[in-house]
Every structure is written in C-alpha cells, then in structure tokens.
Amino acid sequence: MTSIKKVRKAVMPVAGLGTRFLPATKAMPKEMLTVVDKPIIQYAVEEAVAAGIEEIIFVTGRGKAALENHFDEPYELAQVLNAKGKTAELEAVTNMLPSNVRLVYTRQGSPKGLGHAIGCAADIVGDEPFAVLLPDDIIYNAHSTPLKDMVNLYEETGKSVVLAEEVPTERLKNYGILDVAGAAITNGQTDVAGFVEKPAPEDAPSNLGVVGRYVLSPEHFKYLLQGNIGAGGEIQLTDAMAEVAKTEGYKGLLLDGERFDCGDKVGFQMANLFFAMQDDYIAPRLQPFLQELARAQSKKAS
Ligand code: UTP
C-alpha cells in the first residue's frame, strides 16, 4: 500500500472562453473581472495559499496574458508608488504571494472542456494528489478555509474529496451530482459512491451538487488522458471522478459558507455586492443606495 502523500499542488483551469460575459471578455480574461477591487483569480489564489498549497498550476489559453502579468512584481509601478508614499497601494501590488509559493503556467491548446484542461497539467502534477480550484466559484467563510478542510480530509483518509452543496431541483441539470448511495452526512462529510454529470431531475441520485473545489488522487489522470468524450461533447472531469469513485472511494464535504458563481452574471453581481458590504469604507455608503434601489424596484413591480 502506498502511503498518503501531502497535497502541495493546485491546478486552476482558466482556459475557458467566458462567453457568458461577452463583450467584456472579448479582449480580457473572465478571471480578471473585478469583484470590488481584486480580480476573480486573486480570490482563488489567496484561498489556495491559505490552504497550504505551495505550487499553483494555471492551465491557460489564448488571450490570458493579463492574468499571468497580474502576479508579477510590478517594478516600475512599485517605484512610483514608493516615491509618492502610497504605502497601502504599494502593499496591495507587491508580495502578493508568500516566498514558498510558486506559480506555473501551462497551455490548453483548444478549449476541449474542463476534464481536458486538468489533463493538461498531468506532467506538472506528477504522481501525487492535487487540489483543483475553479476560480469562477468564490468561496467565503469568515472563520475557515473549506479547501484546507478538504486537504485535511484527503490526508486523513487517502480518498479524493469534493466540495458539495444542496442544489434546488430545477438547477440539478447544471451540476455534477453526487451519488451517496444512502450514506449519511456526518459532521458535514459523506461517503460518495459515484457522480452523474448534469442529470435530468428525475435521474439525479441526490440533491448534492459539486462546487468548484476538489482534492484529487493522481489516478484521475489515467481517465482524463484517455480522452473519452462525455456530456456536451467535452472531456468531463465528472466522468473521471465517477471511475475513481468505483475503485478508490470518494468523500464529499458540505460547503460551510457562501459560494458565488462568478461565471454567471447574476452570481458575479451578487459577489460584488456581498464583498462590498464587507468593506468598511464602501458598506455604509452603498447600503442607503441599495435600500433606495430596492424600494424603487418594488414600487415599479406593484
Ligand atoms: P465554464 O463552463 O464556466 O466555461 O468553465 P467558460 O468557457 O469559462 O465560460 P462560458 O460558459 O463560455 O461563459 C468552468 C471552468 O473550466 C475552465 C474555465 O476557464 C473555468 O475555470 N475551462 C473550461 C477550461 O480551462 N478549459 C475548457 O476547455 C473549458
């Protein structure tokens, strides 16, 4: 039996086209859209770092250069900010990563789906477990980092872990759904027997949907690299997860906190409002405006 390895690496697939945000994403990566004052990608990077990840592998594609530039040390900008005594701004753009964390970039030549994107990182990850973060999902918990809990669960059990949340019936068809085969949820955890990608409500094995955080065994690459085409004509991560669940077992961790799907216009606006309301400067100035807007909206509706 091989001993359980530490989770040191994370893969972030960012090669998608972001068509739901056109024209904003015509010349700019979706992951660089800002939620209050940080691009979406920075929330995911900070979360990975908080979970103890030491190497972040971005799977990028055409037109994503701005994303790579964002994490560089900005020498000229730093000089200007320094000279002007703008210390808060200087702090915001320098030392964005602890010195033990490194970023690695690889390419997905054409967007053949999430599973294919993760397969592109196989050689860089190698034979060890790895986290996957879909940056579109911003996760907020004021007290803990759910990804850290997932890493701990993997390191305790040796089983791959997905983050899950309850999904309303009409939205089951948009998610990878957990098959818990009657297993109970204890302390927010459950055993998972399998997964079904985007099922019709009548075929869904549960109401638990996968949200964009995973800790995966290297066994997943075996299936991802076979290149089997799944739902929507794409190489699906869910299909590889279903195969691994059969042989290695799997764990689900229920999300404790907020999740914003920033790949969708509604979720993106909600994330902006939510994080704005956490900000001491913005919140008291925004709140009266939101209340007024809500009043005007209900007057219009009545
Ligand atoms: P989405 O399903 O949200 O697709 O991808 P998308 O292309 O980013 O956005 P829309 O639907 O056209 O608006 C989920 C995640 O998988 C990545 C995306 O970058 C996103 O992080 N992805 C998707 C890839 O890296 N490659 C792909 O081929 C597909």
Side-chain angles (χ1 to χ4, degrees), residues 13-21 30-31 59 64 108 110-114 116-117 133-136 234 263:
V14 290
L17 299 175
T19 55
R20 282 172 286 172
F21 279 91
K30 170 174 72 172
E31 299 77 13
V59 181
K64 301 281 180 171
Q108 183 188 25
S110 65
K112 293 185 192 155
L114 173 60
H116 178 257
L133 294 92
L134 306 190
D136 284 0
E234 295 186 340

Side-chain angles (χ1 to χ4, degrees), residues 118-137:
I118 293 168
C120 292
D123 287 344
I124 303 172
V125 173
D127 187 24
E128 59 179 284
F130 60 105
V132 172
L133 294 92
L134 306 190
D136 284 0
D137 277 338

